[in-house]
Amino acid sequence: DEASDATHIIAGDGETALRRTPKLMICISRTSNILRMKWLADSAKAKVPLDCGDYLLLDDRGAETKYDFVMRETLTKGRAVRQERGG
């Protein structure tokens, strides 16, 4: 599937650090739903997509330091830009 069509991104499992890949960069520009693997597992168990709020990948300090960014700020800015552009 195309990264530009993504609505939810599973980018962390709690053990492996976030990697800054081209696909992740495309996805971050498309959605603020950058999630832990646990969201997928819990949603499958519940048999419905769960609310993303508790599963956002906001605490990978190692990746944030390595790539010099703050995920919370990135997602907030991305959401604002998408709203501004109507998408």
Side-chain angles (χ1 to χ4, degrees), residues 8-21:
H8 295 75
I9 310 306
I10 308 301
D13 62 8
E15 295 177 19
T16 306
L18 179 74
R19 294 180 312 152
R20 187 175 182 169
T21 64

Side-chain angles (χ1 to χ4, degrees), residues 9-52:
I9 310 306
I10 308 301
D13 62 8
E15 295 177 19
T16 306
L18 179 74
R19 294 180 312 152
R20 187 175 182 169
T21 64
K23 189 177 266 190
L24 178 63
M25 296 296 96
I26 291 167
C27 293
I28 284 176
S29 72
R30 180 77 176 115
T31 181
S32 294
N33 295 322
I34 312 300
L35 308 167
R36 293 183 184 81
M37 180 70 78
K38 185 165 175 32
W39 175 82
L40 192 60
D42 290 353
S43 292
K45 185 189 271 185
K47 298 184 181 174
V48 295
L50 298 175
D51 181 72
C52 298

Side-chain angles (χ1 to χ4, degrees), residues 39-87:
W39 175 82
L40 192 60
D42 290 353
S43 292
K45 185 189 271 185
K47 298 184 181 174
V48 295
L50 298 175
D51 181 72
C52 298
D54 293 334
Y55 299 91
L56 292 172
L57 186 61
L58 299 174
D59 57 357
D60 190 336
R61 301 295 176 242
E64 290 181 336
T65 299
K66 180 177 182 179
Y67 299 119
D68 191 28
F69 80 111
V70 177
M71 181 66 84
R72 185 177 304 278
E73 290 176 10
T74 299
L75 298 181
T76 300
K77 288 177 185 176
R79 190 176 303 113
V81 167
R82 285 188 295 280
Q83 287 176 343
E84 204 173 90
R85 294 183 181 166

